[in-house]
mmCIF file of all heavy atoms in Angstrom:
data_model
loop_
_atom_site.group_PDB
_atom_site.id
_atom_site.type_symbol
_atom_site.label_atom_id
_atom_site.label_comp_id
_atom_site.label_asym_id
_atom_site.label_seq_id
_atom_site.Cartn_x
_atom_site.Cartn_y
_atom_site.Cartn_z
ATOM 1 N N LEU A 1 30.880 32.356 -123.532
ATOM 2 C CA LEU A 1 29.555 32.038 -122.936
ATOM 3 C C LEU A 1 29.594 32.047 -121.392
ATOM 4 O O LEU A 1 28.709 32.556 -120.753
ATOM 5 C CB LEU A 1 29.057 30.649 -123.436
ATOM 6 C CG LEU A 1 28.582 30.635 -124.868
ATOM 7 C CD1 LEU A 1 28.371 29.171 -125.291
ATOM 8 C CD2 LEU A 1 27.394 31.444 -125.114
ATOM 9 N N HIS A 2 30.728 31.528 -120.833
ATOM 10 C CA HIS A 2 30.897 31.566 -119.379
ATOM 11 C C HIS A 2 30.937 32.953 -118.850
ATOM 12 O O HIS A 2 30.409 33.305 -117.823
ATOM 13 C CB HIS A 2 32.111 30.767 -118.968
ATOM 14 C CG HIS A 2 31.878 29.325 -118.923
ATOM 15 N ND1 HIS A 2 31.081 28.739 -117.958
ATOM 16 C CD2 HIS A 2 32.309 28.291 -119.653
ATOM 17 C CE1 HIS A 2 31.065 27.387 -118.106
ATOM 18 N NE2 HIS A 2 31.813 27.103 -119.155
ATOM 19 N N LEU A 3 31.734 33.853 -119.612
ATOM 20 C CA LEU A 3 31.838 35.242 -119.175
ATOM 21 C C LEU A 3 30.464 35.945 -119.258
ATOM 22 O O LEU A 3 30.136 36.743 -118.370
ATOM 23 C CB LEU A 3 32.859 36.005 -120.050
ATOM 24 C CG LEU A 3 34.322 35.585 -119.796
ATOM 25 C CD1 LEU A 3 35.193 36.215 -120.856
ATOM 26 C CD2 LEU A 3 34.763 35.948 -118.395
ATOM 27 N N PHE A 4 29.746 35.636 -120.350
ATOM 28 C CA PHE A 4 28.378 36.229 -120.457
ATOM 29 C C PHE A 4 27.501 35.796 -119.261
ATOM 30 O O PHE A 4 26.875 36.691 -118.673
ATOM 31 C CB PHE A 4 27.760 35.735 -121.770
ATOM 32 C CG PHE A 4 26.369 36.249 -121.977
ATOM 33 C CD1 PHE A 4 26.102 37.494 -122.505
ATOM 34 C CD2 PHE A 4 25.273 35.450 -121.600
ATOM 35 C CE1 PHE A 4 24.820 37.926 -122.710
ATOM 36 C CE2 PHE A 4 24.001 35.905 -121.802
ATOM 37 C CZ PHE A 4 23.705 37.146 -122.356
ATOM 38 N N ALA A 5 27.565 34.545 -118.933
ATOM 39 C CA ALA A 5 26.744 34.043 -117.847
ATOM 40 C C ALA A 5 27.159 34.636 -116.490
ATOM 41 O O ALA A 5 26.404 35.019 -115.660
ATOM 42 C CB ALA A 5 26.797 32.526 -117.796
ATOM 43 N N PHE A 6 28.520 34.754 -116.372
ATOM 44 C CA PHE A 6 29.055 35.271 -115.150
ATOM 45 C C PHE A 6 28.647 36.689 -114.840
ATOM 46 O O PHE A 6 28.223 37.035 -113.718
ATOM 47 C CB PHE A 6 30.622 35.252 -115.231
ATOM 48 C CG PHE A 6 31.261 35.739 -113.966
ATOM 49 C CD1 PHE A 6 31.559 34.806 -112.940
ATOM 50 C CD2 PHE A 6 31.709 37.032 -113.839
ATOM 51 C CE1 PHE A 6 32.163 35.304 -111.813
ATOM 52 C CE2 PHE A 6 32.347 37.496 -112.688
ATOM 53 C CZ PHE A 6 32.553 36.560 -111.633
ATOM 54 N N PHE A 7 28.652 37.560 -115.838
ATOM 55 C CA PHE A 7 28.338 38.984 -115.660
ATOM 56 C C PHE A 7 26.913 39.328 -115.873
ATOM 57 O O PHE A 7 26.425 40.290 -115.284
ATOM 58 C CB PHE A 7 29.254 39.807 -116.535
ATOM 59 C CG PHE A 7 30.671 39.836 -116.159
ATOM 60 C CD1 PHE A 7 31.633 39.509 -117.006
ATOM 61 C CD2 PHE A 7 31.016 40.247 -114.880
ATOM 62 C CE1 PHE A 7 32.983 39.464 -116.621
ATOM 63 C CE2 PHE A 7 32.345 40.321 -114.458
ATOM 64 C CZ PHE A 7 33.347 39.890 -115.370
ATOM 65 N N LEU A 8 26.188 38.600 -116.757
ATOM 66 C CA LEU A 8 24.915 39.087 -117.150
ATOM 67 C C LEU A 8 23.714 38.319 -116.593
ATOM 68 O O LEU A 8 22.696 38.852 -116.352
ATOM 69 C CB LEU A 8 24.803 39.129 -118.672
ATOM 70 C CG LEU A 8 25.885 40.016 -119.376
ATOM 71 C CD1 LEU A 8 25.563 40.066 -120.833
ATOM 72 C CD2 LEU A 8 25.767 41.475 -118.844
ATOM 73 N N LEU A 9 23.848 37.044 -116.503
ATOM 74 C CA LEU A 9 22.640 36.216 -116.227
ATOM 75 C C LEU A 9 22.416 36.067 -114.757
ATOM 76 O O LEU A 9 23.306 35.723 -113.985
ATOM 77 C CB LEU A 9 22.814 34.795 -116.832
ATOM 78 C CG LEU A 9 23.020 34.748 -118.333
ATOM 79 C CD1 LEU A 9 23.133 33.359 -118.868
ATOM 80 C CD2 LEU A 9 21.848 35.470 -119.082
ATOM 81 N N PRO A 10 21.176 36.332 -114.302
ATOM 82 C CA PRO A 10 20.854 36.295 -112.863
ATOM 83 C C PRO A 10 20.618 34.893 -112.375
ATOM 84 O O PRO A 10 19.513 34.497 -111.973
ATOM 85 C CB PRO A 10 19.537 37.107 -112.818
ATOM 86 C CG PRO A 10 18.882 36.929 -114.147
ATOM 87 C CD PRO A 10 20.056 36.774 -115.124
ATOM 88 N N ASP A 11 21.660 34.064 -112.339
ATOM 89 C CA ASP A 11 21.575 32.685 -111.889
ATOM 90 C C ASP A 11 21.717 32.679 -110.327
ATOM 91 O O ASP A 11 22.788 32.905 -109.859
ATOM 92 C CB ASP A 11 22.706 31.875 -112.562
ATOM 93 C CG ASP A 11 22.666 30.434 -112.109
ATOM 94 O OD1 ASP A 11 21.735 30.047 -111.343
ATOM 95 O OD2 ASP A 11 23.611 29.730 -112.443
ATOM 96 N N GLU A 12 20.678 32.361 -109.654
ATOM 97 C CA GLU A 12 20.653 32.432 -108.217
ATOM 98 C C GLU A 12 21.540 31.298 -107.621
ATOM 99 O O GLU A 12 21.922 31.364 -106.471
ATOM 100 C CB GLU A 12 19.180 32.273 -107.684
ATOM 101 C CG GLU A 12 18.369 33.465 -107.996
ATOM 102 C CD GLU A 12 18.954 34.794 -107.461
ATOM 103 O OE1 GLU A 12 19.521 34.774 -106.372
ATOM 104 O OE2 GLU A 12 18.799 35.802 -108.126
ATOM 105 N N SER A 13 21.865 30.246 -108.364
ATOM 106 C CA SER A 13 22.688 29.187 -107.816
ATOM 107 C C SER A 13 24.142 29.597 -107.821
ATOM 108 O O SER A 13 24.961 28.937 -107.220
ATOM 109 C CB SER A 13 22.465 27.960 -108.679
ATOM 110 O OG SER A 13 22.980 28.082 -110.010
ATOM 111 N N ARG A 14 24.502 30.693 -108.575
ATOM 112 C CA ARG A 14 25.873 31.082 -108.664
ATOM 113 C C ARG A 14 26.094 32.254 -107.711
ATOM 114 O O ARG A 14 25.280 33.164 -107.575
ATOM 115 C CB ARG A 14 26.142 31.522 -110.098
ATOM 116 C CG ARG A 14 27.518 32.191 -110.297
ATOM 117 C CD ARG A 14 27.749 32.460 -111.744
ATOM 118 N NE ARG A 14 26.628 33.092 -112.368
ATOM 119 C CZ ARG A 14 26.236 34.332 -112.251
ATOM 120 N NH1 ARG A 14 26.953 35.114 -111.488
ATOM 121 N NH2 ARG A 14 25.245 34.867 -112.913
ATOM 122 N N ARG A 15 27.186 32.280 -107.025
ATOM 123 C CA ARG A 15 27.524 33.346 -106.150
ATOM 124 C C ARG A 15 28.787 34.096 -106.606
ATOM 125 O O ARG A 15 29.827 33.387 -106.724
ATOM 126 C CB ARG A 15 27.666 32.911 -104.651
ATOM 127 C CG ARG A 15 26.374 32.426 -104.074
ATOM 128 C CD ARG A 15 25.507 33.572 -103.837
ATOM 129 N NE ARG A 15 24.153 33.170 -103.249
ATOM 130 C CZ ARG A 15 23.045 33.048 -103.998
ATOM 131 N NH1 ARG A 15 23.092 33.293 -105.326
ATOM 132 N NH2 ARG A 15 21.936 32.684 -103.445
ATOM 133 N N VAL A 16 28.731 35.390 -106.790
ATOM 134 C CA VAL A 16 29.888 36.132 -107.198
ATOM 135 C C VAL A 16 30.360 36.959 -106.025
ATOM 136 O O VAL A 16 29.534 37.538 -105.353
ATOM 137 C CB VAL A 16 29.485 37.057 -108.373
ATOM 138 C CG1 VAL A 16 30.699 37.902 -108.759
ATOM 139 C CG2 VAL A 16 29.020 36.250 -109.539
ATOM 140 N N SER A 17 31.615 37.057 -105.808
ATOM 141 C CA SER A 17 32.187 37.811 -104.753
ATOM 142 C C SER A 17 31.651 39.168 -104.796
ATOM 143 O O SER A 17 31.588 39.812 -105.884
ATOM 144 C CB SER A 17 33.716 37.850 -104.805
ATOM 145 O OG SER A 17 34.205 38.769 -103.890
ATOM 146 N N LYS A 18 31.287 39.784 -103.650
ATOM 147 C CA LYS A 18 30.758 41.192 -103.714
ATOM 148 C C LYS A 18 31.811 42.215 -103.566
ATOM 149 O O LYS A 18 31.505 43.361 -103.379
ATOM 150 C CB LYS A 18 29.664 41.276 -102.586
ATOM 151 C CG LYS A 18 30.168 41.126 -101.192
ATOM 152 C CD LYS A 18 28.962 41.211 -100.197
ATOM 153 C CE LYS A 18 29.316 40.972 -98.786
ATOM 154 N NZ LYS A 18 28.188 41.148 -97.889
ATOM 155 N N GLU A 19 33.015 41.831 -103.652
ATOM 156 C CA GLU A 19 34.106 42.818 -103.616
ATOM 157 C C GLU A 19 35.080 42.623 -104.768
ATOM 158 O O GLU A 19 35.302 41.475 -105.170
ATOM 159 C CB GLU A 19 34.905 42.684 -102.291
ATOM 160 C CG GLU A 19 34.043 42.852 -101.034
ATOM 161 C CD GLU A 19 33.569 44.316 -100.836
ATOM 162 O OE1 GLU A 19 34.095 45.203 -101.467
ATOM 163 O OE2 GLU A 19 32.602 44.451 -100.085
ATOM 164 N N ILE A 20 35.557 43.741 -105.269
ATOM 165 C CA ILE A 20 36.725 43.690 -106.171
ATOM 166 C C ILE A 20 37.881 44.348 -105.367
ATOM 167 O O ILE A 20 37.663 45.453 -104.803
ATOM 168 C CB ILE A 20 36.522 44.499 -107.448
ATOM 169 C CG1 ILE A 20 35.766 43.648 -108.453
ATOM 170 C CG2 ILE A 20 37.820 44.907 -108.104
ATOM 171 C CD1 ILE A 20 35.512 44.319 -109.778
ATOM 172 N N GLN A 21 39.001 43.644 -105.262
ATOM 173 C CA GLN A 21 40.098 44.232 -104.512
ATOM 174 C C GLN A 21 41.340 44.297 -105.459
ATOM 175 O O GLN A 21 42.224 43.444 -105.387
ATOM 176 C CB GLN A 21 40.406 43.367 -103.300
ATOM 177 C CG GLN A 21 39.260 43.500 -102.225
ATOM 178 C CD GLN A 21 39.550 42.641 -101.050
ATOM 179 O OE1 GLN A 21 40.332 41.701 -101.008
ATOM 180 N NE2 GLN A 21 38.977 43.042 -99.857
ATOM 181 N N LEU A 22 41.352 45.308 -106.286
ATOM 182 C CA LEU A 22 42.437 45.513 -107.195
ATOM 183 C C LEU A 22 43.573 46.283 -106.421
ATOM 184 O O LEU A 22 44.756 46.130 -106.856
ATOM 185 C CB LEU A 22 42.001 46.328 -108.409
ATOM 186 C CG LEU A 22 40.861 45.625 -109.230
ATOM 187 C CD1 LEU A 22 40.444 46.503 -110.419
ATOM 188 C CD2 LEU A 22 41.351 44.284 -109.768
ATOM 189 N N VAL A 23 43.296 47.063 -105.507
ATOM 190 C CA VAL A 23 44.263 47.865 -104.737
ATOM 191 C C VAL A 23 43.963 47.696 -103.270
ATOM 192 O O VAL A 23 42.860 47.965 -102.797
ATOM 193 C CB VAL A 23 44.192 49.319 -105.101
ATOM 194 C CG1 VAL A 23 45.152 50.111 -104.194
ATOM 195 C CG2 VAL A 23 44.647 49.522 -106.587
ATOM 196 N N GLU A 24 44.968 47.262 -102.511
ATOM 197 C CA GLU A 24 44.848 47.246 -101.031
ATOM 198 C C GLU A 24 45.397 48.558 -100.537
ATOM 199 O O GLU A 24 46.602 48.833 -100.688
ATOM 200 C CB GLU A 24 45.661 46.062 -100.427
ATOM 201 C CG GLU A 24 45.028 44.706 -100.794
ATOM 202 C CD GLU A 24 43.858 44.396 -99.891
ATOM 203 O OE1 GLU A 24 43.584 45.198 -98.997
ATOM 204 O OE2 GLU A 24 43.279 43.368 -100.105
ATOM 205 N N PHE A 25 44.581 49.375 -99.773
ATOM 206 C CA PHE A 25 45.045 50.646 -99.335
ATOM 207 C C PHE A 25 46.229 50.597 -98.418
ATOM 208 O O PHE A 25 47.087 51.416 -98.491
ATOM 209 C CB PHE A 25 43.851 51.366 -98.620
ATOM 210 C CG PHE A 25 42.765 51.818 -99.566
ATOM 211 C CD1 PHE A 25 41.512 51.260 -99.482
ATOM 212 C CD2 PHE A 25 42.963 52.844 -100.462
ATOM 213 C CE1 PHE A 25 40.509 51.668 -100.295
ATOM 214 C CE2 PHE A 25 41.977 53.251 -101.311
ATOM 215 C CZ PHE A 25 40.698 52.669 -101.242
ATOM 216 N N ARG A 26 46.291 49.546 -97.616
ATOM 217 C CA ARG A 26 47.357 49.458 -96.657
ATOM 218 C C ARG A 26 48.754 49.141 -97.296
ATOM 219 O O ARG A 26 49.800 49.272 -96.685
ATOM 220 C CB ARG A 26 47.047 48.364 -95.606
ATOM 221 C CG ARG A 26 46.993 46.941 -96.167
ATOM 222 C CD ARG A 26 46.705 45.917 -95.027
ATOM 223 N NE ARG A 26 46.592 44.592 -95.544
ATOM 224 C CZ ARG A 26 45.438 44.056 -95.948
ATOM 225 N NH1 ARG A 26 44.317 44.805 -95.935
ATOM 226 N NH2 ARG A 26 45.348 42.858 -96.379
ATOM 227 N N GLU A 27 48.699 48.691 -98.567
ATOM 228 C CA GLU A 27 49.956 48.384 -99.268
ATOM 229 C C GLU A 27 50.636 49.530 -99.939
ATOM 230 O O GLU A 27 51.819 49.430 -100.335
ATOM 231 C CB GLU A 27 49.704 47.226 -100.254
ATOM 232 C CG GLU A 27 49.288 45.912 -99.653
ATOM 233 C CD GLU A 27 49.082 44.830 -100.654
ATOM 234 O OE1 GLU A 27 49.391 45.114 -101.867
ATOM 235 O OE2 GLU A 27 48.650 43.741 -100.321
ATOM 236 N N TYR A 28 49.856 50.597 -100.241
ATOM 237 C CA TYR A 28 50.442 51.720 -100.955
ATOM 238 C C TYR A 28 50.185 53.060 -100.338
ATOM 239 O O TYR A 28 49.125 53.205 -99.677
ATOM 240 C CB TYR A 28 49.797 51.728 -102.384
ATOM 241 C CG TYR A 28 49.984 50.445 -103.196
ATOM 242 C CD1 TYR A 28 48.979 49.527 -103.297
ATOM 243 C CD2 TYR A 28 51.247 50.129 -103.812
ATOM 244 C CE1 TYR A 28 49.166 48.348 -103.996
ATOM 245 C CE2 TYR A 28 51.417 48.980 -104.532
ATOM 246 C CZ TYR A 28 50.361 48.076 -104.622
ATOM 247 O OH TYR A 28 50.551 46.901 -105.309
ATOM 248 N N GLU A 29 51.064 53.973 -100.517
ATOM 249 C CA GLU A 29 50.858 55.353 -100.063
ATOM 250 C C GLU A 29 49.734 55.977 -100.894
ATOM 251 O O GLU A 29 49.639 55.647 -102.103
ATOM 252 C CB GLU A 29 52.098 56.184 -100.222
ATOM 253 C CG GLU A 29 53.262 55.691 -99.315
ATOM 254 C CD GLU A 29 54.535 56.527 -99.542
ATOM 255 O OE1 GLU A 29 54.507 57.485 -100.389
ATOM 256 O OE2 GLU A 29 55.516 56.300 -98.853
ATOM 257 N N PRO A 30 48.917 56.807 -100.300
ATOM 258 C CA PRO A 30 47.802 57.437 -101.062
ATOM 259 C C PRO A 30 48.242 58.135 -102.350
ATOM 260 O O PRO A 30 47.562 58.040 -103.366
ATOM 261 C CB PRO A 30 47.278 58.493 -100.035
ATOM 262 C CG PRO A 30 47.550 57.937 -98.715
ATOM 263 C CD PRO A 30 48.873 57.231 -98.880
#
């Protein structure tokens, strides 16, 4: 239920980070 709310429900009181950083470009060669 928490995952459903996190991804789907437009709860204005909740703030989700606007970035996903799975790979840092500076850490790896292209």
